Amino acid sequence: MAFLDLSGTLAGLKVLDDGDRDRYKAAVRAGEQTGFGYYWPHLLAQHRPGSSAVLVAEDGDSLCLFRWRVRDARARLDLYLPPLPPSLPVLARCLERANAFNGDRSARIVRIDEKDAGTLSEHDRLRLEPRRMQYLYRPETYLNLSGNNLRTLRRQVARVEGLSRVEVLPYSEEHAEDCRALLRRWRDRHRAAHGTEGGAGTARRALELAGRLREPDMRGEVILVDGRLAGFAFGGEIRPGVGCFFEAKSDEDVPGLAYFQRRSFLLRLRDFDLVNDGSDAGRPGLRQLKDSLRPARMHAEYRGIQRRR
């Protein structure tokens, strides 16, 4: 990313790229993180030319990931994740680097996994605040939709299964243009109704990444209704045994399709014991959808704020 000048307080950092994948994933595997923010394609999706990038460096035995971002014409630096593995001395040095770049003591840790919260709370200048809770599912739950607790999901899935022609296929590049067209329609509709893109940018970057990332990091699925592409979904491995339901969009004019899609793609991820499906993003409709799948449990994530002296 040529727009980034990695000198001065950024010296020694580099833009995260495919060459960092093995080192990063080994660190997550050793640390046993489960949070949505630790999904490798999610980190790559933070790269937005001219506006944001994930930067990486090593400090002793720890891997350090920062987020460089431009807001209101001003660049700032935060830790995107705590050091991997967590180390209070390394954390202190990372925060000081970010503070020096920002010119104040406003640097934050954007995402902290619940398992690391106890360790990081021991830092005397750090205050932890909860972010939105994340949904963890056991994919094997959805092989059989019997039982009262899955009645909403069962009813909605049956609506789609009752349509004349529904096909579920692995994603391939031949679906890319139809996926982009669906995303544009979805974005325009969401903007007209709510005034925002509703995460369409992340879905666009997921489609870009799907063209070059492979298993176990990324797999995809599309749904065709009467021969027309009506939905796509992507996800993959956070670490062995833990997957991520990364992104999905579907045609809102097909009743029940969002429910059918969630269940279908979770079944495609059933080689994982648990799948993190992120938060509900504060959207009531998405919360209703995710609640209907009866999560195995909710996963806490935090942000780290520096205390004032």
Side-chain angles (χ1 to χ4, degrees), residues 22-281:
D22 292 348
R23 169 76 171 89
Y24 171 77
K25 293 205 67 172
V28 173
R29 183 168 62 250
E32 298 184 341
Q33 278 80 19
T34 302
F36 187 91
Y38 287 83
Y39 180 49
W40 172 249
H42 172 78
L43 288 175
L44 297 178
Q46 304 306 304
H47 294 324
R48 306 171 193 179
S51 62
S52 69
V54 174
L55 309 178
V56 62
E58 294 195 37
D59 186 328
D61 294 330
S62 294
L63 198 63
C64 305
L65 291 100
F66 298 82
R67 183 182 67 186
W68 175 92
R69 184 164 68 166
V70 176
R71 282 288 179 89
D72 300 323
R74 178 177 178 236
R76 63 170 288 118
L77 192 68
D78 294 293
L79 274 77
Y80 195 67
L81 302 172
L84 288 165
S87 162
L88 294 184
V90 174
L91 173 62
R93 290 193 290 272
C94 289
L95 287 172
E96 286 306 316
R97 181 198 283 264
N99 288 336
F101 181 86
N102 297 333
D104 55 32
R105 303 195 65 83
S106 64
R108 299 184 172 194
I109 307 175
V110 179
R111 292 177 177 269
I112 299 172
D113 197 79
E114 66 179 12
K115 75 175 294 295
D116 297 325
T119 298
L120 270 64
S121 67
E122 296 174 8
H123 192 290
D124 59 4
R125 299 226 32 243
L126 198 64
R127 173 170 53 87
L128 271 58
E129 292 183 349
R131 288 170 59 98
R132 292 191 179 103
M133 300 292 285
Q134 299 171 357
Y135 291 74
L136 292 181
Y137 299 115
R138 293 194 183 278
E140 64 182 16
T141 302
Y142 310 106
L143 285 167
N144 186 336
L145 295 181
S146 63
N148 191 52
N149 65 330
L150 293 176
R151 63 186 182 280
T152 298
L153 178 61
R154 182 170 61 249
R155 183 175 67 252
Q156 297 291 354
V157 167
R159 297 176 76 180
V160 177
E161 290 179 337
L163 298 176
S164 58
R165 188 157 58 101
V166 178
E167 297 176 85
V168 178
L169 302 170
Y171 173 83
S172 72
E173 277 296 288
E174 69 184 45
H175 301 121
E177 185 50 47
D178 287 340
C179 287
R180 287 191 285 267
L182 171 63
L183 179 58
R184 288 192 293 269
R185 295 193 299 272
W186 189 97
R187 177 203 61 197
D188 292 346
R189 183 168 179 164
H190 195 277
R191 183 185 288 152
H194 306 287
T196 69
E197 288 196 354
T202 299
R204 190 162 50 247
R205 287 185 289 278
L207 283 165
E208 293 167 359
L209 290 169
R212 65 181 177 87
L213 299 184
R214 298 292 179 262
E215 293 275 8
D217 300 328
M218 180 79 91
R219 69 186 68 167
E221 180 177 279
V222 297
I223 300 173
L224 307 182
V225 177
D226 291 330
R228 179 178 59 87
L229 191 137
F232 62 83
F234 296 100
E237 180 190 83
I238 295 176
R239 60 178 171 87
V242 180
C244 179
F245 193 128
F246 181 39
E247 183 57 61
K249 292 291 182 282
S250 60
D251 187 340
E252 295 175 334
D253 289 328
V254 181
L257 185 60
Y259 292 82
F260 177 93
Q261 179 186 58
R262 223 85 194 172
R263 185 248 183 158
S264 177
F265 194 61
L266 282 168
L267 290 179
R268 191 173 289 274
L269 297 172
R270 65 182 181 271
D271 49 322
F272 300 108
D273 298 325
L274 285 172
V275 172
N276 189 320
D277 192 13
S279 75
D280 59 31

